[in-house]
DNA sequence: TCATTAAATTTCT
DNA sequence: AGAAATTTAATGA
């Protein structure tokens, strides 16, 4: 499967309404009106209200936790078409998290009764949600393995390929990550430090696996996957 | 190999 | 200009 195909299937997978036709979608407009949210808005906090499922139509949202010494640990960044939040019956993420918009976002909020009614009316939506949960579980398994076994270089490569699936836009041989990411952000996702991320990125650039310029990041998917398929250092 | 500390330099607002 | 982000270097676990 080439990158474009993979990217498309990824997007199709995360849109829980992908299977519905126009008429069905139209009937959902009233259920989940679209709201605009300014950059930097905290949408979820631990022990805060849990209004339901958030459908992120456009924009980027950071899910993070605060470690006991107060540092931000970014769990993941979500892009267009993703779903997060939780109801009594369906949790798409854990309870002790913060969710904060990184851009101006367009979102819908579906409250629990509406979610359940829609699932009963359109069982395919329920199946989609299960697919989303399944693929996130698989991603998490990959991620925990990487965090447990790999050195920083490989952890960064894993993260970048993962982000590439959701935020990569083709640019010649490269994929540009359409995402405002600082080295500190990357460090907080791979469990390392800002300085170490800086130096691993520069050696990755030297080796032609990535390109960096002005807070923009490109990855060379072919070489990156080759590097990841090589034997891990023990 | 990589966290930590410190300090200089570049880039953003 | 001032803040934020990046880079480089030295040290020790």
């Amino acid at each position: 499967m080439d990158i474009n195909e993979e990217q498309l299937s990824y997007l199709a997978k995360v849109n829980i309404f992908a299977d519905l036709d126009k008429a069905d979608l139209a009937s959902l407009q009233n259920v989940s009106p679209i709201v605009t949210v300014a950059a930097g808005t905290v949408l979820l906090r631990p022990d805060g209200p849990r209004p339901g499922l958030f459908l992120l139509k456009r924009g980027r949202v950071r899910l993070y936790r605060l470690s006991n010494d107060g540092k931000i640990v970014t769990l993941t960044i979500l892009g267009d078409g993703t779903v997060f939040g939780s109801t009594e019956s369906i949790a798409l993420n854990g309870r002790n998290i913060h969710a904060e918009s990184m851009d101006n976002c367009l979102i819908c909020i579906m409250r629990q009764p509406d979610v359940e009614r829609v699932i009963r009316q359109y069982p395919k939506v329920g199946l989609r949600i299960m697919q989303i949960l399944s693929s996130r579980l698989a991603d998490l398994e990959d991620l925990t393995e990487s965090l447990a076994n790999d050195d920083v270089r490989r952890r960064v490569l894993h993260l970048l390929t993962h982000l590439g699936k959701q935020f990569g836009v083709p640019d010649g041989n490269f994929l540009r990550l359409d995402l405002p990411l600082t080295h500190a952000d990357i460090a907080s996702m791979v469990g390392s430090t800002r300085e170490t991320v800086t130096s691993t990125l520069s050696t990755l650039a030297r080796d032609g696996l990535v390109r960096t310029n002005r807070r923009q990041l490109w990855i060379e998917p072919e070489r990156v996957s080759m590097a990841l398929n090589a034997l891990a250092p023990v």
Side-chain angles (χ1 to χ4, degrees):
Chain A
M1 198 190 305
D2 71 17
I3 288 298
N4 283 328
E5 240 180 291
E6 189 175 336
Q7 199 178 342
L8 282 179
S9 77
Y10 193 82
L11 284 177
K13 233 185 271 182
V14 292
N15 186 341
I16 64 173
F17 299 139
D19 296 312
L20 302 187
D21 61 32
K22 283 232 169 81
D24 292 335
L25 284 174
S27 75
L28 293 176
Q29 290 298 322
N30 327 316
V31 169
S32 54
I34 295 185
V35 180
T36 64
V37 169
T41 305
V42 176
L43 301 165
L44 288 175
R45 46 170 36 102
D47 309 323
R50 321 208 70 79
L53 294 190
F54 290 76
L55 316 185
L56 179 57
K57 300 290 186 181
R58 187 169 55 73
R60 289 165 291 219
V61 169
R62 179 199 305 276
L63 299 188
Y64 63 93
R65 234 172 234 171
L66 295 178
S67 65
N68 25 17
D69 50 344
K71 277 189 288 191
I72 287 183
V73 179
T74 300
L75 303 171
T76 186
I77 294 175
L78 303 173
D80 295 11
T82 50
V83 194
F84 64 99
S86 59
T87 71
E88 294 293 318
S89 46
I90 302 169
L92 299 190
N93 45 248
R95 266 199 307 92
N96 288 323
I97 58 135
H98 298 254
E100 183 178 330
S101 58
M102 302 171 74
D103 322 274
N104 297 326
C105 294
L106 288 180
I107 59 172
C108 298
I109 302 178
M110 285 186 78
R111 291 160 208 297
Q112 176 178 5
D114 295 325
V115 173
E116 297 188 357
R117 193 171 51 72
V118 169
I119 291 176
R120 267 191 283 272
Q121 188 173 0
Y122 306 107
K124 283 180 175 179
V125 172
L127 291 173
R128 274 287 172 215
I129 291 175
M130 285 196 278
Q131 281 182 18
I132 292 167
L133 285 172
S134 308
S135 76
R136 290 202 186 161
L137 184 58
D139 281 352
L140 274 178
E141 287 168 347
D142 290 346
L143 198 58
T144 50
E145 182 189 2
S146 173
L147 285 173
N149 296 324
D150 292 347
D151 60 12
V152 173
R153 179 185 164 101
R154 291 178 62 90
R155 277 185 264 154
V156 168
L157 288 175
H158 264 117
L159 175 69
L160 294 182
T161 53
H162 180 246
L163 291 175
K165 289 181 193 169
Q166 192 164 178
F167 300 102
V169 297
D171 180 4
N173 287 338
F174 284 80
L175 264 190
R176 185 173 61 84
L177 296 188
D178 183 22
L179 189 68
L181 264 191
T182 68
H183 294 183
D185 289 330
I186 295 174
S188 85
M189 285 188 268
V190 300
S192 179
T193 63
R194 197 183 72 247
E195 296 86 339
T196 300
V197 167
T198 298
S199 81
T200 65
L201 280 181
S202 73
T203 71
L204 288 174
R206 186 203 55 197
D207 298 345
L209 300 181
V210 309
R211 248 170 66 200
T212 63
N213 192 30
R214 300 281 171 91
R215 255 158 244 190
Q216 288 274 21
L217 202 50
W218 291 259
I219 66 179
E220 216 284 32
E222 288 287 316
R223 299 196 189 183
V224 169
S225 71
M226 274 177 55
L228 284 176
N229 288 330
L231 275 186
V234 185

